[in-house]
Coordinates of all heavy atoms in Angstrom, one line a residue:
G4 N -141.5 -93.4 54.0 CA -141.4 -92.0 54.3 C -142.1 -91.6 55.6 O -141.7 -90.6 56.2
C5 N -143.0 -92.5 56.1 CA -143.6 -92.2 57.4 C -142.7 -92.4 58.6 O -143.0 -92.1 59.7 CB -144.9 -93.1 57.6 SG -146.2 -92.7 56.5
Y6 N -141.5 -93.1 58.3 CA -140.5 -93.3 59.4 C -139.3 -92.5 59.2 O -138.4 -92.6 60.0 CB -140.1 -94.8 59.4 CG -141.2 -95.7 59.9 CD1 -142.1 -96.3 59.1 CD2 -141.4 -95.9 61.3 CE1 -143.1 -97.2 59.6 CE2 -142.4 -96.7 61.8 CZ -143.2 -97.3 60.9 OH -144.2 -98.1 61.4
V7 N -139.2 -91.6 58.1 CA -138.0 -90.8 57.9 C -138.1 -89.6 59.0 O -139.0 -88.8 58.9 CB -138.0 -90.2 56.5 CG1 -136.8 -89.2 56.3 CG2 -137.9 -91.4 55.5
P8 N -137.2 -89.5 59.9 CA -137.3 -88.5 60.9 C -136.9 -87.1 60.4 O -136.1 -87.0 59.5 CB -136.3 -89.0 62.0 CG -135.3 -89.8 61.2 CD -136.0 -90.4 60.1
V9 N -137.5 -86.1 61.0 CA -137.1 -84.7 60.7 C -136.1 -84.3 61.8 O -136.5 -84.4 63.0 CB -138.3 -83.8 60.6 CG1 -137.9 -82.4 60.4 CG2 -139.3 -84.3 59.5
P10 N -135.0 -83.7 61.4 CA -134.0 -83.4 62.4 C -134.5 -82.3 63.4 O -135.1 -81.4 63.0 CB -132.8 -82.8 61.6 CG -133.0 -83.4 60.2 CD -134.5 -83.5 60.0
G11 N -134.2 -82.5 64.7 CA -134.5 -81.5 65.7 C -135.8 -81.6 66.3 O -136.2 -80.8 67.2
I12 N -136.6 -82.6 66.0 CA -138.0 -82.8 66.5 C -137.9 -83.6 67.8 O -137.4 -84.7 67.8 CB -139.0 -83.4 65.5 CG1 -139.3 -82.4 64.4 CG2 -140.3 -83.8 66.2 CD1 -140.1 -81.2 64.9
N13 N -138.5 -83.1 68.9 CA -138.6 -83.8 70.1 C -139.9 -84.7 70.0 O -141.0 -84.2 70.2 CB -138.7 -82.9 71.3 CG -138.7 -83.6 72.7 OD1 -139.0 -84.8 72.7 ND2 -138.3 -82.9 73.7
T14 N -139.8 -85.9 69.6 CA -140.9 -86.8 69.2 C -141.8 -87.0 70.4 O -143.1 -87.1 70.3 CB -140.5 -88.1 68.6 OG1 -139.6 -88.7 69.6 CG2 -139.7 -87.9 67.3
D15 N -141.3 -87.1 71.6 CA -142.1 -87.4 72.8 C -143.1 -86.2 73.1 O -144.3 -86.4 73.3 CB -141.2 -87.6 74.0 CG -140.4 -88.9 73.9 OD1 -140.9 -89.8 73.2 OD2 -139.4 -89.0 74.5
V16 N -142.5 -85.0 73.1 CA -143.4 -83.8 73.3 C -144.3 -83.6 72.1 O -145.5 -83.3 72.3 CB -142.5 -82.5 73.5 CG1 -143.3 -81.3 73.7 CG2 -141.5 -82.7 74.6
F17 N -143.9 -83.8 70.9 CA -144.7 -83.6 69.8 C -145.9 -84.6 69.8 O -147.0 -84.3 69.5 CB -143.9 -83.8 68.5 CG -144.5 -83.3 67.2 CD1 -144.3 -81.9 66.9 CD2 -145.3 -84.0 66.4 CE1 -144.8 -81.4 65.8 CE2 -145.9 -83.5 65.3 CZ -145.6 -82.2 64.9
S18 N -145.6 -85.9 70.2 CA -146.6 -86.9 70.2 C -147.6 -86.6 71.3 O -148.9 -86.7 71.1 CB -146.0 -88.3 70.5 OG -146.9 -89.3 70.7
N19 N -147.2 -86.1 72.5 CA -148.2 -85.7 73.5 C -149.0 -84.6 73.1 O -150.2 -84.5 73.4 CB -147.4 -85.4 74.8 CG -146.7 -86.6 75.4 OD1 -147.1 -87.7 75.2 ND2 -145.6 -86.3 76.1
A20 N -148.5 -83.6 72.4 CA -149.2 -82.5 71.9 C -150.3 -82.9 70.9 O -151.4 -82.4 70.9 CB -148.3 -81.4 71.3
I21 N -150.0 -83.8 70.0 CA -150.9 -84.3 69.0 C -152.0 -85.1 69.6 O -153.2 -84.9 69.3 CB -150.2 -85.1 67.9 CG1 -149.2 -84.2 67.1 CG2 -151.2 -85.8 66.9 CD1 -149.8 -83.1 66.3
E22 N -151.6 -86.0 70.5 CA -152.6 -87.0 71.1 C -153.6 -86.3 72.1 O -154.6 -86.9 72.5 CB -151.9 -88.1 71.7 CG -151.2 -89.0 70.8 CD -150.4 -90.1 71.4 OE1 -150.4 -90.1 72.7 OE2 -149.8 -91.0 70.7
S23 N -153.2 -85.1 72.5 CA -154.1 -84.3 73.4 C -155.3 -83.7 72.7 O -156.2 -83.2 73.3 CB -153.3 -83.3 74.1 OG -152.8 -82.3 73.2
N24 N -155.3 -83.7 71.3 CA -156.4 -83.1 70.6 C -157.1 -84.2 69.8 O -156.5 -85.1 69.1 CB -155.8 -82.1 69.6 CG -156.9 -81.4 68.8 OD1 -157.4 -81.9 67.8 ND2 -157.4 -80.3 69.3
T25 N -158.4 -84.3 69.9 CA -159.2 -85.3 69.3 C -159.1 -85.4 67.8 O -158.9 -86.5 67.2 CB -160.7 -85.2 69.7 OG1 -160.8 -85.1 71.1 CG2 -161.5 -86.4 69.2
F26 N -159.2 -84.2 67.2 CA -159.2 -84.2 65.7 C -157.8 -84.6 65.2 O -157.6 -85.3 64.2 CB -159.6 -82.8 65.2 CG -159.6 -82.7 63.7 CD1 -160.6 -83.4 63.0 CD2 -158.7 -82.0 63.0 CE1 -160.6 -83.4 61.6 CE2 -158.7 -81.9 61.6 CZ -159.7 -82.6 60.9
L27 N -156.7 -84.0 65.9 CA -155.4 -84.4 65.4 C -155.0 -85.8 65.7 O -154.3 -86.4 64.9 CB -154.4 -83.5 66.2 CG -154.4 -82.0 65.8 CD1 -153.4 -81.2 66.6 CD2 -154.1 -81.8 64.3
E28 N -155.6 -86.4 66.7 CA -155.5 -87.8 67.0 C -156.1 -88.7 65.8 O -155.6 -89.7 65.4 CB -156.1 -88.2 68.3 CG -155.7 -89.6 68.7 CD -156.3 -90.0 70.1 OE1 -156.9 -89.1 70.7 OE2 -156.1 -91.1 70.5
L29 N -157.3 -88.2 65.3 CA -157.9 -88.8 64.2 C -157.0 -88.7 63.0 O -156.8 -89.7 62.3 CB -159.3 -88.2 63.9 CG -160.0 -88.6 62.6 CD1 -160.3 -90.1 62.6 CD2 -161.2 -87.7 62.4
M30 N -156.4 -87.6 62.7 CA -155.5 -87.4 61.6 C -154.3 -88.3 61.8 O -153.7 -88.8 60.8 CB -155.1 -85.9 61.4 CG -156.3 -85.0 61.0 SD -156.9 -85.4 59.4 CE -158.4 -86.3 59.8
N31 N -153.8 -88.5 63.0 CA -152.7 -89.3 63.3 C -152.9 -90.7 62.9 O -152.1 -91.4 62.3 CB -152.3 -89.2 64.7 CG -151.1 -90.0 65.1 OD1 -150.0 -90.0 64.4 ND2 -151.2 -90.9 66.1
S32 N -154.2 -91.2 63.2 CA -154.5 -92.6 62.8 C -154.6 -92.8 61.3 O -154.2 -93.9 60.8 CB -155.8 -93.0 63.5 OG -156.9 -92.2 62.9

């Protein structure tokens, strides 16, 4: 389920937005 993509998401932009925040990066790990 962690690899099932959601249609229409720009993963590159979404990833940069998440990794720019310390707490969200923790949640991502």
Side-chain angles (χ1 to χ4, degrees):
C5 291
Y6 287 96
V7 175
V9 177
I12 289 291
N13 190 336
T14 56
D15 293 334
V16 179
F17 200 87
S18 177
N19 293 333
I21 294 297
E22 293 177 356
S23 63
N24 183 273
T25 306
F26 183 68
L27 292 179
E28 187 177 358
L29 170 62
M30 292 296 100
N31 179 54
S32 65

